[in-house]
Amino acid sequence: MPPNEFVATIVVLASAILLISFWKQILFILLFGVVMVFCFGLYNVATAMGR
């Protein structure tokens, strides 16, 4: 196995372990981001209707 392929394998394994251990936090952050974007869009529509 070439060295760069070995490094890539290590990086993929490390990121998989991090994702498995932090998936709840990542899910919460994504959900929070979606809600914020939705509320911001709703606010922009409301202000556009109000003008």
Side-chain angles (χ1 to χ4, degrees):
M1 184 183 284
N4 59 348
E5 200 174 307
F6 181 70
V7 169
T9 307
I10 295 293
V11 167
V12 167
L13 279 172
S15 57
I17 290 166
L18 280 172
L19 277 175
I20 289 166
S21 56
F22 293 119
W23 70 273
K24 283 183 184 172
Q25 287 91 329
I26 291 167
L27 207 64
F28 180 74
I29 290 166
L30 282 174
L31 190 68
F32 187 71
V34 166
V35 168
M36 288 291 288
V37 167
F38 177 74
C39 289
F40 186 69
L42 211 59
Y43 172 75
N44 280 341
V45 168
T47 52
M49 298 280 263
R51 284 182 189 163

Short mmCIF file of all heavy atoms in Angstrom, two decimals:
data_model
loop_
_atom_site.label_atom_id
_atom_site.label_comp_id
_atom_site.label_asym_id
_atom_site.label_seq_id
_atom_site.Cartn_x
_atom_site.Cartn_y
_atom_site.Cartn_z
N MET A 1 0.85 -1.19 0.00
CA MET A 1 0.00 0.00 0.00
C MET A 1 0.88 1.25 0.00
O MET A 1 1.72 1.41 0.88
CB MET A 1 -0.90 -0.03 1.24
CG MET A 1 -1.88 1.12 1.31
SD MET A 1 -2.89 1.13 2.81
CE MET A 1 -4.04 -0.17 2.45
N PRO A 2 0.68 2.14 -0.98
CA PRO A 2 1.48 3.39 -1.02
C PRO A 2 1.20 4.26 0.20
O PRO A 2 0.11 4.18 0.77
CB PRO A 2 1.00 4.09 -2.29
CG PRO A 2 0.27 3.06 -3.07
CD PRO A 2 -0.20 2.03 -2.11
N PRO A 3 2.14 5.10 0.58
CA PRO A 3 1.97 5.94 1.79
C PRO A 3 0.76 6.86 1.74
O PRO A 3 0.05 7.01 2.73
CB PRO A 3 3.25 6.76 1.86
CG PRO A 3 4.23 6.03 1.02
CD PRO A 3 3.44 5.27 -0.01
N ASN A 4 0.52 7.49 0.58
CA ASN A 4 -0.62 8.43 0.52
C ASN A 4 -1.95 7.69 0.62
O ASN A 4 -2.92 8.20 1.17
CB ASN A 4 -0.56 9.29 -0.74
CG ASN A 4 -0.58 8.46 -2.02
OD1 ASN A 4 -0.41 7.25 -1.98
ND2 ASN A 4 -0.77 9.13 -3.14
N GLU A 5 -2.02 6.46 0.10
CA GLU A 5 -3.23 5.65 0.24
C GLU A 5 -3.45 5.26 1.70
O GLU A 5 -4.58 5.25 2.18
CB GLU A 5 -3.10 4.39 -0.63
CG GLU A 5 -4.42 3.73 -0.96
CD GLU A 5 -4.25 2.58 -1.94
OE1 GLU A 5 -3.64 2.80 -3.01
OE2 GLU A 5 -4.70 1.47 -1.62
N PHE A 6 -2.36 4.98 2.40
CA PHE A 6 -2.43 4.65 3.82
C PHE A 6 -2.96 5.83 4.62
O PHE A 6 -3.85 5.68 5.47
CB PHE A 6 -1.04 4.22 4.32
CG PHE A 6 -1.00 3.83 5.76
CD1 PHE A 6 -1.59 2.65 6.19
CD2 PHE A 6 -0.38 4.65 6.69
CE1 PHE A 6 -1.56 2.29 7.52
CE2 PHE A 6 -0.35 4.29 8.03
CZ PHE A 6 -0.94 3.11 8.44
N VAL A 7 -2.45 7.02 4.33
CA VAL A 7 -2.90 8.24 5.02
C VAL A 7 -4.39 8.48 4.73
O VAL A 7 -5.15 8.82 5.64
CB VAL A 7 -2.04 9.45 4.58
CG1 VAL A 7 -2.65 10.76 5.08
CG2 VAL A 7 -0.62 9.29 5.10
N ALA A 8 -4.81 8.28 3.48
CA ALA A 8 -6.21 8.47 3.13
C ALA A 8 -7.10 7.50 3.90
O ALA A 8 -8.17 7.87 4.39
CB ALA A 8 -6.41 8.29 1.63
N THR A 9 -6.65 6.25 4.03
CA THR A 9 -7.42 5.25 4.78
C THR A 9 -7.55 5.66 6.25
O THR A 9 -8.63 5.56 6.84
CB THR A 9 -6.74 3.87 4.67
OG1 THR A 9 -6.53 3.57 3.29
CG2 THR A 9 -7.59 2.80 5.29
N ILE A 10 -6.45 6.15 6.84
CA ILE A 10 -6.47 6.59 8.24
C ILE A 10 -7.44 7.76 8.42
O ILE A 10 -8.23 7.79 9.36
CB ILE A 10 -5.05 6.99 8.70
CG1 ILE A 10 -4.11 5.77 8.71
CG2 ILE A 10 -5.09 7.64 10.08
CD1 ILE A 10 -4.46 4.72 9.72
N VAL A 11 -7.41 8.71 7.49
CA VAL A 11 -8.30 9.88 7.57
C VAL A 11 -9.76 9.45 7.47
O VAL A 11 -10.61 9.93 8.22
CB VAL A 11 -7.93 10.91 6.47
CG1 VAL A 11 -9.01 11.97 6.32
CG2 VAL A 11 -6.60 11.54 6.78
N VAL A 12 -10.06 8.54 6.55
CA VAL A 12 -11.44 8.07 6.38
C VAL A 12 -11.91 7.35 7.64
O VAL A 12 -13.03 7.57 8.11
CB VAL A 12 -11.55 7.16 5.14
CG1 VAL A 12 -12.87 6.41 5.13
CG2 VAL A 12 -11.40 7.98 3.87
N LEU A 13 -11.05 6.50 8.21
CA LEU A 13 -11.41 5.79 9.44
C LEU A 13 -11.65 6.76 10.59
O LEU A 13 -12.62 6.63 11.33
CB LEU A 13 -10.32 4.78 9.81
CG LEU A 13 -10.35 3.45 9.05
CD1 LEU A 13 -9.11 2.64 9.38
CD2 LEU A 13 -11.59 2.67 9.41
N ALA A 14 -10.77 7.75 10.74
CA ALA A 14 -10.90 8.72 11.82
C ALA A 14 -12.19 9.53 11.67
O ALA A 14 -12.92 9.75 12.65
CB ALA A 14 -9.69 9.64 11.84
N SER A 15 -12.50 9.95 10.45
CA SER A 15 -13.72 10.74 10.25
C SER A 15 -14.96 9.88 10.48
O SER A 15 -15.95 10.37 11.02
CB SER A 15 -13.74 11.36 8.85
OG SER A 15 -13.61 10.36 7.87
N ALA A 16 -14.90 8.59 10.12
CA ALA A 16 -16.04 7.70 10.38
C ALA A 16 -16.26 7.54 11.89
O ALA A 16 -17.39 7.59 12.36
CB ALA A 16 -15.79 6.34 9.73
N ILE A 17 -15.19 7.37 12.64
CA ILE A 17 -15.30 7.23 14.10
C ILE A 17 -15.87 8.51 14.72
O ILE A 17 -16.76 8.46 15.57
CB ILE A 17 -13.93 6.87 14.70
CG1 ILE A 17 -13.55 5.44 14.31
CG2 ILE A 17 -13.95 7.01 16.22
CD1 ILE A 17 -12.11 5.08 14.56
N LEU A 18 -15.39 9.67 14.24
CA LEU A 18 -15.90 10.95 14.75
C LEU A 18 -17.39 11.11 14.44
O LEU A 18 -18.17 11.55 15.29
CB LEU A 18 -15.12 12.11 14.15
CG LEU A 18 -13.76 12.41 14.80
CD1 LEU A 18 -13.02 13.44 13.98
CD2 LEU A 18 -13.95 12.90 16.22
N LEU A 19 -17.78 10.76 13.20
CA LEU A 19 -19.19 10.88 12.82
C LEU A 19 -20.07 9.97 13.67
O LEU A 19 -21.15 10.38 14.09
CB LEU A 19 -19.36 10.53 11.34
CG LEU A 19 -19.06 11.65 10.35
CD1 LEU A 19 -19.15 11.13 8.92
CD2 LEU A 19 -20.00 12.81 10.53
N ILE A 20 -19.59 8.75 13.92
CA ILE A 20 -20.39 7.81 14.72
C ILE A 20 -20.53 8.33 16.15
O ILE A 20 -21.60 8.25 16.76
CB ILE A 20 -19.77 6.40 14.68
CG1 ILE A 20 -19.98 5.79 13.29
CG2 ILE A 20 -20.37 5.50 15.74
CD1 ILE A 20 -19.14 4.58 13.02
N SER A 21 -19.45 8.88 16.70
CA SER A 21 -19.50 9.31 18.09
C SER A 21 -20.24 10.64 18.27
O SER A 21 -20.79 10.89 19.34
CB SER A 21 -18.10 9.41 18.68
OG SER A 21 -17.30 10.27 17.91
N PHE A 22 -20.27 11.48 17.24
CA PHE A 22 -20.89 12.81 17.37
C PHE A 22 -22.13 12.98 16.50
O PHE A 22 -22.54 14.09 16.23
CB PHE A 22 -19.88 13.91 17.01
CG PHE A 22 -18.75 14.03 17.98
CD1 PHE A 22 -17.44 13.81 17.56
CD2 PHE A 22 -18.97 14.33 19.30
CE1 PHE A 22 -16.39 13.92 18.46
CE2 PHE A 22 -17.93 14.43 20.20
CZ PHE A 22 -16.63 14.23 19.77
N TRP A 23 -22.78 11.87 16.07
CA TRP A 23 -23.87 12.01 15.12
C TRP A 23 -25.06 12.75 15.72
O TRP A 23 -25.75 13.48 15.01
CB TRP A 23 -24.29 10.66 14.55
CG TRP A 23 -24.98 9.75 15.53
CD1 TRP A 23 -24.38 8.88 16.37
CD2 TRP A 23 -26.38 9.63 15.75
NE1 TRP A 23 -25.32 8.22 17.11
CE2 TRP A 23 -26.56 8.65 16.76
CE3 TRP A 23 -27.51 10.24 15.21
CZ2 TRP A 23 -27.81 8.29 17.23
CZ3 TRP A 23 -28.76 9.88 15.68
CH2 TRP A 23 -28.91 8.92 16.67
N LYS A 24 -25.30 12.62 17.02
CA LYS A 24 -26.43 13.34 17.62
C LYS A 24 -26.20 14.84 17.59
O LYS A 24 -27.11 15.60 17.25
CB LYS A 24 -26.65 12.86 19.06
CG LYS A 24 -27.34 11.52 19.13
CD LYS A 24 -27.61 11.11 20.57
CE LYS A 24 -28.20 9.72 20.61
NZ LYS A 24 -28.30 9.20 21.98
N GLN A 25 -24.96 15.26 17.95
CA GLN A 25 -24.65 16.69 17.92
C GLN A 25 -24.72 17.23 16.50
O GLN A 25 -25.24 18.31 16.26
CB GLN A 25 -23.24 16.94 18.49
CG GLN A 25 -23.17 16.78 19.99
CD GLN A 25 -22.81 15.37 20.41
OE1 GLN A 25 -23.15 14.40 19.74
NE2 GLN A 25 -22.14 15.24 21.54
N ILE A 26 -24.19 16.45 15.53
CA ILE A 26 -24.21 16.89 14.14
C ILE A 26 -25.66 17.01 13.65
O ILE A 26 -26.03 17.98 12.97
CB ILE A 26 -23.39 15.90 13.27
CG1 ILE A 26 -21.91 16.01 13.61
CG2 ILE A 26 -23.62 16.17 11.79
CD1 ILE A 26 -21.06 14.89 13.05
N LEU A 27 -26.50 16.03 14.03
CA LEU A 27 -27.90 16.06 13.64
C LEU A 27 -28.60 17.28 14.23
O LEU A 27 -29.36 17.97 13.55
CB LEU A 27 -28.58 14.78 14.14
CG LEU A 27 -29.80 14.28 13.37
CD1 LEU A 27 -29.40 13.90 11.96
CD2 LEU A 27 -30.40 13.09 14.09
N PHE A 28 -28.30 17.58 15.51
CA PHE A 28 -28.91 18.74 16.17
C PHE A 28 -28.48 20.04 15.49
O PHE A 28 -29.31 20.93 15.25
CB PHE A 28 -28.50 18.76 17.65
CG PHE A 28 -29.07 19.92 18.40
CD1 PHE A 28 -30.41 19.94 18.75
CD2 PHE A 28 -28.27 21.00 18.74
CE1 PHE A 28 -30.94 21.02 19.45
CE2 PHE A 28 -28.79 22.08 19.43
CZ PHE A 28 -30.14 22.09 19.78
N ILE A 29 -27.19 20.16 15.14
CA ILE A 29 -26.69 21.37 14.48
C ILE A 29 -27.34 21.53 13.11
O ILE A 29 -27.75 22.64 12.73
CB ILE A 29 -25.15 21.31 14.38
CG1 ILE A 29 -24.54 21.47 15.78
CG2 ILE A 29 -24.62 22.38 13.44
CD1 ILE A 29 -23.07 21.11 15.84
N LEU A 30 -27.47 20.42 12.36
CA LEU A 30 -28.12 20.49 11.04
C LEU A 30 -29.58 20.90 11.18
O LEU A 30 -30.06 21.75 10.41
CB LEU A 30 -28.02 19.14 10.34
CG LEU A 30 -26.68 18.80 9.70
CD1 LEU A 30 -26.70 17.38 9.17
CD2 LEU A 30 -26.37 19.76 8.58
N LEU A 31 -30.28 20.32 12.15
CA LEU A 31 -31.69 20.65 12.38
C LEU A 31 -31.84 22.12 12.76
O LEU A 31 -32.72 22.82 12.24
CB LEU A 31 -32.24 19.75 13.49
CG LEU A 31 -33.75 19.78 13.71
CD1 LEU A 31 -34.46 19.17 12.50
CD2 LEU A 31 -34.10 19.02 14.97
N PHE A 32 -30.95 22.61 13.63
CA PHE A 32 -30.97 24.00 14.04
C PHE A 32 -30.74 24.91 12.83
O PHE A 32 -31.43 25.92 12.67
CB PHE A 32 -29.88 24.23 15.10
CG PHE A 32 -29.91 25.59 15.71
CD1 PHE A 32 -30.92 25.96 16.57
CD2 PHE A 32 -28.90 26.51 15.42
CE1 PHE A 32 -30.95 27.23 17.14
CE2 PHE A 32 -28.92 27.77 15.97
CZ PHE A 32 -29.95 28.13 16.83
N GLY A 33 -29.79 24.55 11.98
CA GLY A 33 -29.51 25.34 10.77
C GLY A 33 -30.70 25.38 9.84
O GLY A 33 -31.04 26.44 9.30
N VAL A 34 -31.37 24.24 9.65
CA VAL A 34 -32.55 24.20 8.78
C VAL A 34 -33.67 25.07 9.34
O VAL A 34 -34.30 25.83 8.60
CB VAL A 34 -33.02 22.73 8.60
CG1 VAL A 34 -34.41 22.66 8.00
CG2 VAL A 34 -32.03 21.97 7.74
N VAL A 35 -33.89 25.00 10.65
CA VAL A 35 -34.93 25.82 11.29
C VAL A 35 -34.60 27.30 11.14
O VAL A 35 -35.48 28.12 10.84
CB VAL A 35 -35.11 25.41 12.76
CG1 VAL A 35 -35.97 26.42 13.52
CG2 VAL A 35 -35.73 24.03 12.85
N MET A 36 -33.34 27.67 11.34
CA MET A 36 -32.94 29.08 11.22
C MET A 36 -33.15 29.59 9.80
O MET A 36 -33.68 30.69 9.60
CB MET A 36 -31.46 29.25 11.60
CG MET A 36 -31.18 29.10 13.07
SD MET A 36 -31.84 30.44 14.06
CE MET A 36 -30.74 31.75 13.60
N VAL A 37 -32.77 28.79 8.79
CA VAL A 37 -32.95 29.19 7.39
C VAL A 37 -34.44 29.33 7.08
O VAL A 37 -34.85 30.28 6.41
CB VAL A 37 -32.27 28.17 6.45
CG1 VAL A 37 -32.70 28.37 5.01
CG2 VAL A 37 -30.75 28.29 6.58
N PHE A 38 -35.25 28.39 7.58
CA PHE A 38 -36.70 28.45 7.35
C PHE A 38 -37.30 29.71 7.97
O PHE A 38 -38.09 30.42 7.32
CB PHE A 38 -37.36 27.20 7.94
CG PHE A 38 -38.85 27.19 7.82
CD1 PHE A 38 -39.46 26.97 6.60
CD2 PHE A 38 -39.64 27.42 8.93
CE1 PHE A 38 -40.84 26.96 6.48
CE2 PHE A 38 -41.03 27.42 8.83
CZ PHE A 38 -41.62 27.20 7.59
N CYS A 39 -36.93 30.02 9.22
CA CYS A 39 -37.46 31.21 9.89
C CYS A 39 -37.01 32.48 9.19
O CYS A 39 -37.79 33.42 9.05
CB CYS A 39 -37.02 31.22 11.36
SG CYS A 39 -37.85 29.96 12.34
N PHE A 40 -35.75 32.51 8.74
CA PHE A 40 -35.25 33.68 8.02
C PHE A 40 -36.02 33.88 6.72
O PHE A 40 -36.40 35.01 6.38
CB PHE A 40 -33.75 33.51 7.75
CG PHE A 40 -33.10 34.72 7.15
CD1 PHE A 40 -32.95 35.87 7.88
CD2 PHE A 40 -32.65 34.69 5.83
CE1 PHE A 40 -32.35 36.99 7.32
CE2 PHE A 40 -32.06 35.81 5.27
CZ PHE A 40 -31.91 36.95 6.01
N GLY A 41 -36.29 32.79 5.99
CA GLY A 41 -37.07 32.88 4.76
C GLY A 41 -38.49 33.36 5.02
O GLY A 41 -39.03 34.17 4.28
N LEU A 42 -39.08 32.83 6.10
CA LEU A 42 -40.43 33.22 6.49
C LEU A 42 -40.48 34.72 6.82
O LEU A 42 -41.40 35.44 6.42
CB LEU A 42 -40.88 32.40 7.70
CG LEU A 42 -42.34 32.07 7.85
CD1 LEU A 42 -42.84 31.28 6.63
CD2 LEU A 42 -42.56 31.27 9.11
N TYR A 43 -39.47 35.19 7.55
CA TYR A 43 -39.37 36.61 7.91
C TYR A 43 -39.24 37.48 6.66
O TYR A 43 -39.90 38.52 6.56
CB TYR A 43 -38.16 36.81 8.84
CG TYR A 43 -37.85 38.25 9.13
CD1 TYR A 43 -38.63 38.98 10.00
CD2 TYR A 43 -36.76 38.87 8.52
CE1 TYR A 43 -38.34 40.31 10.27
CE2 TYR A 43 -36.47 40.20 8.77
CZ TYR A 43 -37.27 40.91 9.65
OH TYR A 43 -36.97 42.22 9.88
N ASN A 44 -38.41 37.04 5.71
CA ASN A 44 -38.25 37.82 4.47
C ASN A 44 -39.55 37.88 3.68
O ASN A 44 -39.89 38.92 3.12
CB ASN A 44 -37.13 37.21 3.61
CG ASN A 44 -35.76 37.62 4.09
OD1 ASN A 44 -35.63 38.61 4.80
ND2 ASN A 44 -34.75 36.88 3.73
N VAL A 45 -40.28 36.78 3.63
CA VAL A 45 -41.57 36.77 2.93
C VAL A 45 -42.55 37.70 3.64
O VAL A 45 -43.27 38.47 2.98
CB VAL A 45 -42.12 35.32 2.85
CG1 VAL A 45 -43.59 35.32 2.40
CG2 VAL A 45 -41.28 34.48 1.92
N ALA A 46 -42.58 37.67 4.97
CA ALA A 46 -43.49 38.52 5.72
C ALA A 46 -43.17 40.00 5.51
O ALA A 46 -44.08 40.82 5.34
CB ALA A 46 -43.43 38.17 7.19
N THR A 47 -41.88 40.35 5.51
CA THR A 47 -41.52 41.77 5.30
C THR A 47 -41.81 42.18 3.86
O THR A 47 -42.21 43.32 3.63
CB THR A 47 -40.03 42.00 5.63
OG1 THR A 47 -39.25 41.08 4.93
CG2 THR A 47 -39.78 41.91 7.12
N ALA A 48 -41.66 41.27 2.90
CA ALA A 48 -41.98 41.60 1.52
C ALA A 48 -43.47 41.82 1.34
O ALA A 48 -43.89 42.70 0.59
CB ALA A 48 -41.49 40.48 0.59
N MET A 49 -44.29 41.04 2.05
CA MET A 49 -45.75 41.19 1.97
C MET A 49 -46.18 42.49 2.65
O MET A 49 -47.13 43.12 2.22
CB MET A 49 -46.44 40.00 2.65
CG MET A 49 -46.15 38.68 2.00
SD MET A 49 -47.11 38.37 0.54
CE MET A 49 -48.42 37.39 1.25
N GLY A 50 -45.47 42.87 3.70
CA GLY A 50 -45.82 44.06 4.46
C GLY A 50 -45.52 45.36 3.74
O GLY A 50 -46.10 46.39 4.06
N ARG A 51 -44.67 45.34 2.75
CA ARG A 51 -44.30 46.58 2.06
C ARG A 51 -45.37 47.02 1.08
O ARG A 51 -46.07 46.28 0.49
CB ARG A 51 -42.98 46.37 1.31
CG ARG A 51 -41.82 46.39 2.25
CD ARG A 51 -40.51 46.24 1.52
NE ARG A 51 -39.44 46.04 2.48
CZ ARG A 51 -38.26 45.56 2.16
NH1 ARG A 51 -37.97 45.25 0.91
NH2 ARG A 51 -37.34 45.40 3.06
#
